[in-house]
Structures are given as structure tokens and as C-alpha cells.
Amino acid sequence: MLQALLPILGSVIDRVIPDPAARDAAKLELIRQQQAGELEAVKTQMSAILTEAQSADPWTSRARPAFLYVMYVMILAAIPMGFVSAFDPGLAERVAAGLKAWLAAIPEEMWTLFGVGYLGYVGARTWDKSKGTGR
């Protein structure tokens, strides 16, 4: 799949970078990254994400969206906290300190997983929709 993306990336570089020398340098760097195996790692990651997203197993295919919904709830919880701070600033500060401590207890790897999962989910959905298979 990644091999198919290289001509597309080259085309994007042609459109985005008007200077011929800079454009050639960007294409050369793309080829260097491919040879260095960096793009192979991205290919492997994307393949796993697409396989999971296309799985017939409802748990596997819905795991990422469920995780994102949890994060959305956490973000939306900030709205009522705004009202709490208006009526009892001390309580709001204690709740915020507790939430900050709770979030700090989450390992960095989990935050990385969230970011990768979010980007992978969005990328897989975009790819599905561009192929006409997404709902």
C-alpha cells in the first residue's frame, strides 16, 4: 500500500513546492527515508490499523471509537466544572487538582497510544470513505 502512496506523495510535493531545486531535494529525502526503512515501519503500523478497522469482530472494530468516546466525555466534563468554579472556587480547585493528579498517573505510553489510535482511526476512516466502503 505504501508503495502506491509514493507517487501520490511525489505529486503532492510537485504541487506544494514551487522551487524545482527544493522540490527535487524533497523527493530525494522521500527516497532516502524509504531506503532507510522508516516508511516500512509506517506501512506496518498502518496495515495493523486497517486490519483492525476492517475486522468483522465488533469489539475489535469498535475499540478505538469507544476509547475516543471516553476522551470526549472527559473533555465535556470541563463544562460543568466551569459552573462549579463560579459558585465554589475552592471546590473547583480541589476537583481540578484531583483530576490533574489522576491524569498525571496515566503512563506516557497510554497517551502515546491514544494519539496513535486517534490518528490511525481517522486515517482508516478517511481511507475507507475514499474507497466508498465507509458508512
Side-chain angles (χ1 to χ4, degrees):
M1 181 174 98
L2 191 58
Q3 295 295 337
L5 288 178
L6 290 176
I8 296 170
L9 291 173
S11 172
V12 169
I13 289 172
D14 287 340
R15 292 181 186 163
V16 173
I17 303 175
D19 179 38
R23 183 173 49 230
D24 291 341
K27 285 182 181 180
L28 182 60
E29 182 59 31
L30 185 63
I31 292 169
R32 283 186 187 145
Q33 287 180 358
Q34 178 190 14
Q35 291 174 343
E38 294 175 14
L39 292 180
E40 188 62 33
V42 172
K43 177 183 175 184
T44 303
Q45 291 172 348
M46 192 63 176
S47 173
I49 290 168
L50 290 173
T51 301
E52 289 176 10
Q54 294 171 348
S55 173
D57 178 22
W59 173 252
T60 302
S61 62
R62 293 183 187 143
R64 280 194 189 89
F67 184 65
L68 297 178
Y69 295 145
V70 170
M71 295 305 291
Y72 295 151
V73 167
M74 293 298 297
I75 293 167
L76 290 174
I79 295 170
M81 281 307 298
F83 290 107
V84 170
S85 67
F87 295 107
D88 191 349
L91 174 63
E93 286 179 21
R94 290 190 305 273
V95 170
L99 182 60
K100 181 179 178 182
W102 179 71
L103 291 174
I106 298 172
E108 185 67 29
E109 292 83 8
M110 292 297 291
W111 290 111
T112 302
L113 176 65
F114 169 70
V116 170
Y118 192 87
L119 292 174
Y121 175 74
V122 170
R125 291 295 295 155
T126 302
W127 186 74
D128 272 352
K129 289 180 180 181
S130 71
K131 296 295 180 190
T133 58
R135 286 179 245 156

